[in-house]
Amino acid sequence: MDFNIAVLKGDGIGPEVINQALLVLDKIGKKYNHQFDFKEALIGGQAIDTVGENLPKETIDICKESDAILLGAVGGPKWDGLSGEKRPEKGLLKIRKILNLYANIRPAILFKELKKACPLKDEIIGDGIDICVVRELTGGIYFGEKATREGKNGKEAYDVESYNEQEIIRIAKTAFEIARKRNKKVVSVDKANVLESSRLWRKTVNEVSKKYEDVILEHMYVDNASMQLIKNPQQFDVILTSNMFGDILSDEASMITGSIGMLPSASLGEGNIGLYEPIHGSAPDIAGQNKSNPIATILSVAMMLRHSFDLEDEAKDIENAVVNVLSNNYRTIDIMDDKNKLVTTNEMGSLIMEKI
Ligand code: NAD
């Protein structure tokens, strides 16, 4: 089969981790006889430096014409002085919005091979951690009205958190559908004791849950959820939450799985085009040093094969190759301990490719 993939490498470690993911995809293509056509396009700081804007029209067109999008990361200190709309990160927010990618799916799995890289005690980890964060991605405070203005006591700034029922219904349905294929439990995280938008969130999620009686629904305040993730992560199956809470909680979940360099994500909407990216950022502190972990991006490719192309065997092949390399004790620096063999970004990519 033929697939067109838009490749947005972005900034910092984006290009280095994407290059490894493309190697893996190439190998899958050869093994299973698929043709993957890659079209590169600019986004973020890289696009600002080349054409003066964070999301050029050409990139939007290439993404719209593709079957799926693979993205590295955007941003970095070089562009930190730019105003909000002009920043690299805004390019990513815009493409998610343009393609209506409202559901961000972030599986956080602690591979047993990485137990030592998890900062939690063995008795808390138990037989492992397998959580799926379902984060609303195109609404809430990141997209609400925002401004800085002169006030009575100097400058004042605001960002509005706002959700409507339709936005909550569709993301809640996504979470319940995913839970049905997993352990049938959804914990909806909000701040309904304080925020009006959270009270609508909770009421609407309760309504949606009536159609999913086989799935257990619990509600949890975000402050408690952040504590419970450390205290008893095994209680979670699917976490359903808003844009900002999901952003924060999934980074926390990433740490209990060993490293932010391990976590993939899929952003899906009503259309057919999915966007796949690691949850980490551009990691400017290690960019260009060949020491970033490419596994999050490689696992994002597995999610692409599964969710966008319906290629389950190929997705599993990649996931098994990752486990295989980890069980042979190869590690990038972020998941390294004294009993393992340290490898570079490129070596990790090649090792995974060879195991396919
Ligand atoms: P970050 O995720 O880039 O880095 C946080 C820490 O994790 C750093 O110490 C980094 O070295 C480490 N890290 C991240 N990915 C790693 C990997 N694959 N392997 C090994 N270590 C890894 O977050 P940050 O430092 O807060 O942000 C840096 C820049 O990235 C900022 O400009 C931010 O806006 C941007 N950002 C972009 C995205 C995105 O493109 N989706 C997401 C988050 C942050």
Side-chain angles (χ1 to χ4, degrees):
M1 290 211 278
D2 281 9
F3 303 97
N4 291 316
I5 300 170
V7 178
L8 317 185
K9 293 185 176 177
D11 309 315
I13 61 168
E16 47 193 274
V17 291
I18 289 279
N19 288 342
Q20 300 314 306
L22 294 182
L23 273 182
V24 167
L25 208 42
D26 246 2
K27 180 77 181 280
I28 288 285
K30 288 194 182 97
K31 177 169 171 185
Y32 293 90
N33 215 8
H34 302 303
Q35 175 77 31
F36 297 114
D37 293 320
F38 306 125
K39 221 176 212 175
E40 271 195 49
L42 298 168
I43 192 168
Q46 182 204 34
I48 294 169
D49 288 353
T50 317
V51 294
E53 49 183 330
N54 49 29
L55 185 68
K57 183 177 176 306
E58 193 190 350
T59 299
I60 302 171
D61 291 341
I62 289 176
C63 289
K64 282 184 173 169
E65 284 156 17
S66 67
D67 299 311
I69 304 161
L70 182 62
L71 183 130
V74 294
K78 184 175 178 192
W79 306 280
D80 276 351
L82 295 175
S83 65
E85 278 302 306
K86 296 202 165 127
R87 287 178 66 95
E89 294 83 351
K90 190 71 191 179
L92 179 52
L93 294 184
K94 281 195 280 194
I95 193 70
R96 288 171 178 165
K97 191 81 177 176
I98 288 168
L99 297 175
N100 203 9
L101 303 172
Y102 61 82
N104 189 219
I105 298 157
R106 299 181 156 197
I109 299 167
L110 174 62
F111 292 99
K112 72 174 188 323
E113 292 77 8
L114 287 188
K115 260 189 165 182
K116 283 221 176 103
C118 172
L120 302 181
K121 288 182 188 146
D122 273 358
E123 58 264 35
I124 292 178
I125 298 171
D127 359 303
I129 296 167
D130 184 352
I131 299 169
C132 183
V133 179
V134 177
R135 166 190 172 196
E136 201 289 328
L137 201 60
T138 52
I141 197 164
Y142 291 2
F143 289 93
E145 195 192 321
K146 59 187 82 226
T148 304
R149 61 190 176 197
E150 288 304 328
K152 276 197 205 121
N153 299 307
K155 281 199 171 60
E156 56 186 30
Y158 62 88
D159 301 88
V160 176
E161 167 86 347
S162 158
Y163 272 109
N164 61 49
E165 284 178 309
Q166 188 237 333
E167 287 172 321
I168 304 167
I169 290 169
R170 63 188 186 182
I171 192 70
K173 279 184 179 165
T174 304
F176 283 109
E177 292 292 339
I178 289 175
R180 262 193 177 154
K181 294 185 191 144
R182 294 172 47 99
N183 292 321
K184 299 193 169 49
K185 182 176 171 192
V186 170
V187 175
S188 175
V189 173
D190 61 36
K191 189 71 184 166
N193 48 347
V194 179
L195 300 177
E196 200 57 29
S197 53
S198 279
R199 284 192 271 274
L200 179 66
W201 179 280
R202 194 173 274 219
K203 185 168 167 280
T204 311
V205 171
N206 277 334
E207 280 304 311
V208 174
S209 77
K210 290 179 184 159
K211 294 217 169 71
Y212 296 89
E213 282 180 349
D214 52 325
V215 178
I216 296 168
L217 170 66
E218 275 178 23
H219 297 281
M220 203 179 272
Y221 298 136
V222 64
D223 34 357
N224 185 27
S226 65
M227 186 177 78
Q228 294 297 332
L229 264 173
I230 301 295
K231 198 175 161 203
N232 180 13
Q234 292 211 55
Q235 70 186 287
F236 295 104
D237 177 26
V238 172
I239 294 179
L240 160 65
T241 192
S242 63
N243 203 340
M244 181 165 66
F245 294 160
D247 195 2
I248 299 166
L249 290 178
S250 55
D251 268 32
E252 188 185 354
S254 78
M255 228 15 250
I256 61 181
T257 67
S259 163
I260 196 164
M262 292 296 299
L263 259 70
S265 81
S267 302
L268 309 171
E270 269 144 19
N272 293 325
I273 307 169
L275 185 150
Y276 299 85
E277 57 179 320
I279 80 155
H280 60 71
S282 59
D285 52 334
I286 55 167
Q289 297 172 36
N290 199 14
K291 62 184 191 192
S292 59
N293 186 346
I295 293 181
T297 314
I298 291 171
L299 291 174
S300 301
V301 163
M303 289 188 86
M304 174 191 288
L305 296 175
R306 175 173 294 123
H307 294 286
S308 279
F309 305 156
D310 212 11
L311 299 175
E312 182 60 30
D313 288 350
E314 289 83 337
K316 276 262 158 58
D317 205 342
I318 293 180
E319 288 160 354
N320 290 340
V322 168
V323 171
N324 199 328
V325 170
L326 292 175
S327 50
N328 281 302
N329 299 326
Y330 292 106
R331 303 282 190 274
T332 43
I333 186 90
D334 55 314
I335 47 176
M336 181 71 185
D337 70 48
D338 49 9
K339 295 210 178 61
N340 296 314
K341 295 169 246 182
L342 182 65
V343 293
T344 62
T345 311
N346 294 350
E347 285 165 343
M348 181 56 94
S350 302
L351 284 163
I352 295 170
M353 184 193 68
E354 282 158 19
K355 293 287 179 203
I356 288 170

